[in-house]
């Protein structure tokens, strides 16, 4: 029998805690009514015992939670740090430092309502950072990545075949075809881009097709690797998956790209917060008898 979160257990309150508080109140009242020192000493002992009983009751309910919280923190500290944690921490510090510098420089506070361009830029920045955070969390935590795999946004599998191929043109570049057997069901469309982490950097590939094999329940996904293989005719060592490798590809980008540049506020139309324009109304052509007929 223990309290359930912030609300304590009614049975504990009514059967144990409330009677103990009543005994404490009676002992305190009795101590105040003591007529001599000897009687006061006896009643002080009863009051101390009643106070200790309350303390032990509360401690019996709060101490296990306290110990469990610190045990959980100790376990968390034993986990390896995510690969992108330091980068995010650095960006957060620079963001705060920039805000501090603006305040110290005496810049005006943020307006109650931003103009259209400023609001659009803020929204785009927050959406981009949110997408970056979600991508990094999936790359750092296998459990988070498992959720993305279940939703069809990523897949893991074993490389079963690698065929060297090249792009067409005056300077052919390597475009190897990699076949990955997977039990996942990614939502791959025609020529969809997928990404894997290679040395901390995203390497992109293009979905070519899927092979179904009667003797196997898994899917065989064929991908064409597009970049991060060096500038030579032959791929650099380690830049192309090898047969037997187990790799993870995502359908979401690992690095978020910036959107289109927005115009300056003064260059936006008056309907979006720009300078007020002069409304010009063209005179209507007079209605003639021919128009009526």
């Amino acid at each position: 029998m223990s309290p359930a979160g912030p609300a304590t257990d009614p049975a504990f309150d009514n059967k144990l805690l409330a009677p103990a508080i009543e005994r404490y109140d009676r002992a305190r009242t009795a101590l105040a009514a003591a007529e001599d020192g000897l009687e006061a000493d006896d009643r002080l002992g009863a009051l101390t015992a009643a106070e200790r009983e309350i303390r032990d009751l509360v401690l019996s309910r709060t101490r296990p939670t306290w110990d469990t919280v610190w045990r959980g923190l100790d376990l968390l500290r034993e986990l390896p740090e995510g690969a992108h944690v330091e980068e995010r921490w650095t960006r957060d510090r620079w963001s705060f430092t920039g805000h501090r510098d603006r305040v110290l420089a005496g810049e005006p506070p943020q307006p109650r309502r931003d103009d259209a361009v400023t609001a659009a830029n803020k929204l785009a920045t927050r959406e981009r950072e949110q997408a970056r955070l979600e991508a990094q969390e999936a790359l750092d935590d296998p459990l988070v990545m498992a959720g993305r795999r279940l939703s069809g946004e990523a897949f893991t599998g074993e490389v079963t075949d690698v065929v060297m191929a090249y792009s067409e043109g005056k300077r052919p570049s390597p475009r190897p075809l990699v076949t990955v057997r997977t039990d996942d069901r990614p939502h791959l469309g025609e020529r969809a881009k997928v990404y894997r982490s290679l040395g901390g950097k995203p390497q992109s590939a293009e979905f070519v097709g899927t092979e179904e094999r009667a003797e196997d329940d898994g899917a065989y996904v064929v991908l064409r690797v597009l970049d991060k293989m060096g500038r030579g005719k032959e791929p650099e060592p380690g830049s192309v998956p090898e047969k037997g490798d187990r790799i993870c590809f995502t359908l979401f980008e690992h690095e978020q790209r910036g959107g289109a540049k927005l115009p300056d506020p003064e260059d936006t139309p008056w309907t979006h917060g720009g300078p007020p324009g002069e409304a010009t109304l063209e005179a209507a052509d007079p209605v003639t008898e021919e128009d009526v007929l």
Side-chain angles (χ1 to χ4, degrees):
M1 180 176 60
S2 61
T8 57
D9 184 358
F12 168 79
D13 290 342
N14 297 329
K15 296 181 179 180
L16 297 178
L17 186 59
I21 293 176
E22 291 177 1
R23 285 190 291 272
Y24 173 82
D25 290 340
R26 288 197 299 269
R28 188 174 180 181
T29 302
L31 175 62
E35 298 180 354
D36 55 52
L38 184 60
E39 185 179 7
D41 288 342
D42 293 339
R43 295 182 180 182
L44 178 61
L47 177 63
T48 302
E51 180 181 355
R52 185 183 303 112
E53 181 184 8
I54 294 176
R55 187 185 303 273
D56 291 342
L57 283 172
V58 173
L59 192 63
S60 69
R61 265 48 185 182
T62 56
R63 186 56 187 262
T65 301
W66 174 268
D67 293 338
T68 302
V69 168
W70 284 103
R71 174 59 179 159
L73 291 174
D74 291 338
L75 292 174
L76 285 175
R77 292 189 179 105
E78 294 176 2
L79 295 176
E81 185 178 273
H84 295 88
V85 170
E86 183 176 357
E87 174 192 343
R88 287 200 300 272
W89 176 235
T90 300
R91 284 204 314 271
D92 288 346
R93 284 185 296 160
W94 275 115
S95 177
F96 181 80
T97 300
H99 173 70
R100 180 207 62 182
D101 293 343
R102 288 191 294 272
V103 172
L104 293 178
E107 293 188 12
Q110 179 175 319
R112 290 186 177 181
R113 179 177 297 178
D114 291 319
D115 59 78
V117 174
T118 303
N121 277 323
K122 286 184 177 180
L123 178 61
T125 298
R126 289 166 183 171
E127 289 178 341
R128 183 170 61 250
E129 292 303 318
Q130 181 65 35
R132 187 205 304 270
L133 173 63
E134 292 175 356
Q136 291 182 350
E137 287 178 338
L139 294 172
D140 290 348
D141 191 338
L143 289 178
V144 178
M145 183 63 79
R148 305 298 285 267
R149 289 167 58 190
L150 287 173
S151 64
E153 299 175 281
F155 63 96
T156 298
E158 181 180 343
V159 177
T160 61
D161 195 15
V162 179
V163 178
M164 185 54 61
Y166 295 87
S167 63
E168 298 179 357
K170 295 182 179 180
R171 297 185 59 186
S173 301
R175 294 291 186 267
L177 295 173
V178 178
T179 302
V180 180
R181 184 204 175 280
T182 179
D183 292 320
D184 298 330
R185 291 295 181 264
H187 301 316
L188 291 168
E190 183 178 358
R191 303 189 67 177
K193 287 285 189 68
V194 297
Y195 309 88
R196 73 161 180 147
S197 181
L198 180 64
K201 299 294 182 180
Q203 182 184 50
S204 61
E206 182 181 74
F207 174 61
V208 176
T210 304
E211 299 179 2
E212 299 291 344
R213 303 185 184 182
E215 71 279 4
D216 196 337
D217 293 335
Y220 289 79
V221 179
V222 182
L223 307 170
R224 179 182 288 110
V225 182
L226 301 177
D227 54 21
K228 298 294 188 298
M229 292 177 286
R231 298 184 178 181
K233 186 176 181 180
E234 297 299 326
E236 293 182 353
S239 62
V240 178
E242 298 181 358
K243 187 175 181 179
D245 288 350
R246 186 165 183 82
I247 53 180
C248 178
F249 281 97
T250 69
L251 279 69
F252 56 84
E253 296 189 42
H254 299 181
E255 298 290 342
Q256 303 303 310
R257 294 174 290 182
K261 185 179 184 303
L262 297 176
D264 295 329
E266 57 270 16
D267 295 331
T268 58
W270 65 271
T271 54
H272 290 71
E278 295 181 3
T280 58
L281 297 177
E282 296 183 359
D285 293 335
V287 178
T288 63
E289 185 177 354
E290 295 178 356
D291 294 328
V292 175
L293 297 175

